[in-house]
Amino acid sequence: MLCGPSSIYIVCFMVFFMCFGVMIVYFILFGNICKRIAASTYGNVGFFDDKAFFVLLLGGATLPLALMKELREMKLASITLFIGVILFVFVFGESLIFNVW
C-alpha cells in the first residue's frame, strides 16, 4: 500500500524468486538422494551415478507439468515432491544410523 501501483511488481518478483529458489533446492535434493541411492545400489557406473543426470531426468519429467495451467493438474508434481522428501528422510536417517554405529 505504501509503494502504490508499482508494489505489484515488487510482490510478483519476490514470489517468482522464492518459487524459483524452492525449485532449485528441490532439484538439488532430488539429485543428491538419487545419486546416493544409485551409488549404494549399483556402485560406480559413470554418468548414471552423477547428480547432473538425475537433475536432468527430473527436469525432463517435470517439464510437461510446468506447462500445465490448471492447479488440479499439478497433483502429480506435489506427489513427486512428497515422495522425494520421504526418500530424503529415509536416506538421511539410514546414513545417520549406520554412520553412528
Side-chain angles (χ1 to χ4, degrees), residues 34 37 99:
C34 290
I37 291 172
N99 286 338

Side-chain angles (χ1 to χ4, degrees), residues 33 36-37 40 82-99:
I33 290 169
R36 292 183 99 187
I37 291 172
S40 66
F82 180 71
I83 290 171
V85 169
I86 294 299
L87 281 174
F88 174 73
V89 168
F90 282 130
V91 169
F92 185 68
E94 179 261 337
S95 67
L96 279 177
I97 290 171
F98 290 114
N99 286 338

Side-chain angles (χ1 to χ4, degrees), residues 29-41 43 48-52 54:
L29 283 175
F30 182 81
N32 285 336
I33 290 169
C34 290
K35 177 184 175 182
R36 292 183 99 187
I37 291 172
S40 66
T41 305
F48 297 108
D49 66 345
D50 190 26
K51 181 172 67 171
F54 294 108

Side-chain angles (χ1 to χ4, degrees), residues 56-74:
L56 290 173
L57 185 69
L58 178 66
T62 57
L63 183 63
L65 295 174
L67 299 176
M68 294 179 184
K69 296 183 180 183
E70 294 185 22
L71 287 178
R72 64 181 174 86
E73 295 172 341
M74 297 300 287

Side-chain angles (χ1 to χ4, degrees), residues 6-34:
S6 63
S7 65
I8 188 68
Y9 299 110
I10 296 169
V11 170
C12 285
F13 176 75
M14 289 172 42
V15 168
F16 171 77
F17 186 72
M18 289 188 328
C19 289
F20 185 74
V22 167
M23 182 184 68
I24 295 300
V25 169
Y26 174 55
F27 275 41
I28 291 171
L29 283 175
F30 182 81
N32 285 336
I33 290 169
C34 290

